[in-house]
Amino acid sequence: MNATETNTNEGVVVIQDLTKSFDTTEVLKGITLSLKKGENLVVLGKSGTGKSVLIKCIVRLLKSDSGSIKVLGNEVTELNNTDMNEVRRKIGFLFQGGALYDSMTVRENLEFPLKRMYKNLTKAEVDAKVKEALENVGLPDSIDKMPSELSGGMKKRISLARTIIVDPEIMLYDEPTTGLDPVSSHEISLLINEVQQKYKTSSIIITHDIECAKTVANRIIMLQEGKVYKEGVLSDFENTDDELVNSYFKSQNITNTKTI
């Protein structure tokens, strides 16, 4: 099957009846959801509900067991590796830890994806795109620093700059505020909104951070025990008699832990 252009009427990501197990442990138990063009979709849930597994299946870092995953009109479960790589070129993935290359400067980290994907760019064009990306995340003066010289919040910003530098259509954020102090977390949340507005991205934001969800979400899906438990806009979660939603969504004691 060849990679095709998306039919945005049905969503840029459309998932139906997705399942994934590890040995005898069922993590995803028939997930169905869609990401609309231009929206920020937040996927909430406690640790172990399958949030990170979900987006890794979308880019086929993990292979799903059954179900359908369509990304920009392509059924990714059926694509060969070459066509899957073409789809991945249109997706930005911000990992929990940032995944910067420790041995490279900030400049080199940002140049790396550009040189891999756009081999015909001149040095001046590469320099211009690196400068623009760093300005967009508010860190133009960090260009020659090493990752070890950056704070946690700065590393997340640089990782975001490296992701958006190749102009993705879809952004996948895996716990973007994990490990950050409240001020840095809020700054990253605001940056997610800025990326959506400037680059017209469609994004899935995996998080357990309620404040991040409140800041970035156009729509929210809550996972519970590997299934979609509730879907709606922010007010649907803040104004509900559902005890499970209230106990999770209104809790002020959410801890920044890594999720499966």
Side-chain angles (χ1 to χ4, degrees):
M1 179 180 293
N2 293 325
T4 61
E5 295 300 316
T6 180
N7 176 2
T8 56
N9 291 330
E10 67 171 5
V12 293
V13 177
V14 180
I15 297 172
Q16 293 183 314
D17 300 321
L18 183 67
T19 67
K20 177 63 181 177
S21 298
F22 296 95
D23 296 324
T24 58
T25 302
E26 290 183 280
V27 178
L28 303 180
K29 305 176 183 178
I31 297 288
T32 294
L33 61 83
S34 65
L35 172 67
K36 300 172 184 176
K37 185 174 178 60
E39 79 168 338
N40 280 346
L41 174 65
V42 166
V43 179
L44 280 175
K46 295 180 180 178
S47 177
T49 55
K51 304 188 303 298
S52 294
V53 170
L54 171 65
I55 56 171
K56 287 176 181 176
C57 286
I58 291 173
V59 291
R60 221 165 71 186
L61 290 176
L62 291 172
K63 186 177 180 180
S64 58
D65 296 332
S66 64
S68 171
I69 307 171
K70 288 186 178 180
V71 178
L72 299 170
N74 302 278
E75 179 56 61
V76 303
T77 63
E78 299 177 359
L79 293 179
N80 59 41
N81 288 335
T82 299
D83 288 336
M84 186 66 224
N85 285 333
E86 284 299 309
V87 172
R88 290 186 182 119
R89 287 166 65 98
K90 301 174 184 178
I91 301 173
F93 198 122
L94 187 66
F95 292 90
Q96 280 191 37
L100 294 175
Y101 298 109
D102 292 336
S103 61
M104 295 182 180
T105 65
V106 168
R107 182 197 304 271
E108 291 167 338
N109 265 281
L110 269 63
E111 288 175 344
F112 184 78
L114 279 177
K115 291 178 177 179
R116 285 191 63 190
M117 294 179 63
Y118 304 109
K119 300 184 185 299
N120 295 326
L121 289 178
T122 66
K123 183 180 184 304
E125 289 170 330
V126 170
D127 289 345
K129 289 187 74 69
V130 168
K131 181 181 179 182
E132 179 186 13
L134 288 176
E135 288 175 346
N136 285 337
V137 300
L139 291 175
D141 296 334
S142 68
I143 190 167
D144 292 316
K145 293 183 181 295
M146 301 297 292
S148 60
E149 300 178 83
L150 307 175
S151 68
M154 292 171 73
K155 288 180 181 178
K156 283 288 177 82
R157 285 172 175 264
I158 298 302
S159 298
L160 182 53
R162 189 180 62 181
T163 303
I164 62 177
I165 201 169
V166 293
D167 301 319
E169 294 181 41
I170 296 170
M171 285 291 298
L172 303 177
Y173 297 89
D174 190 5
E175 296 284 2
T177 61
T178 291
L180 301 181
D181 61 80
V183 173
S184 296
S185 294
H186 185 61
E187 290 175 346
I188 293 297
S189 298
L190 293 178
L191 266 178
I192 291 172
N193 286 340
E194 289 175 17
V195 168
Q196 177 195 28
Q197 293 162 12
K198 179 162 186 172
Y199 292 89
K200 310 302 181 186
T201 53
S202 310
S203 304
I204 296 177
I205 301 101
I206 300 297
T207 189
H208 64 274
D209 183 342
I210 299 301
E211 293 308 313
C212 174
K214 290 179 178 180
T215 302
V216 307
N218 298 126
R219 191 162 52 95
I220 298 172
I221 286 176
M222 181 175 177
L223 300 187
Q224 173 69 9
E225 297 182 350
K227 298 180 179 179
V228 174
Y229 182 81
K230 184 176 178 65
E231 178 178 350
V233 296
L234 178 61
S235 60
D236 295 325
F237 286 81
E238 292 184 316
N239 305 307
T240 179
D241 295 327
D242 189 303
E243 292 183 5
L244 190 148
V245 173
N246 284 332
S247 66
Y248 178 80
F249 200 79
K250 296 184 178 180
S251 172
Q252 298 302 311
N253 297 312
I254 305 299
T255 56
N256 286 335
T257 55
K258 292 185 73 174
T259 58
I260 187 170

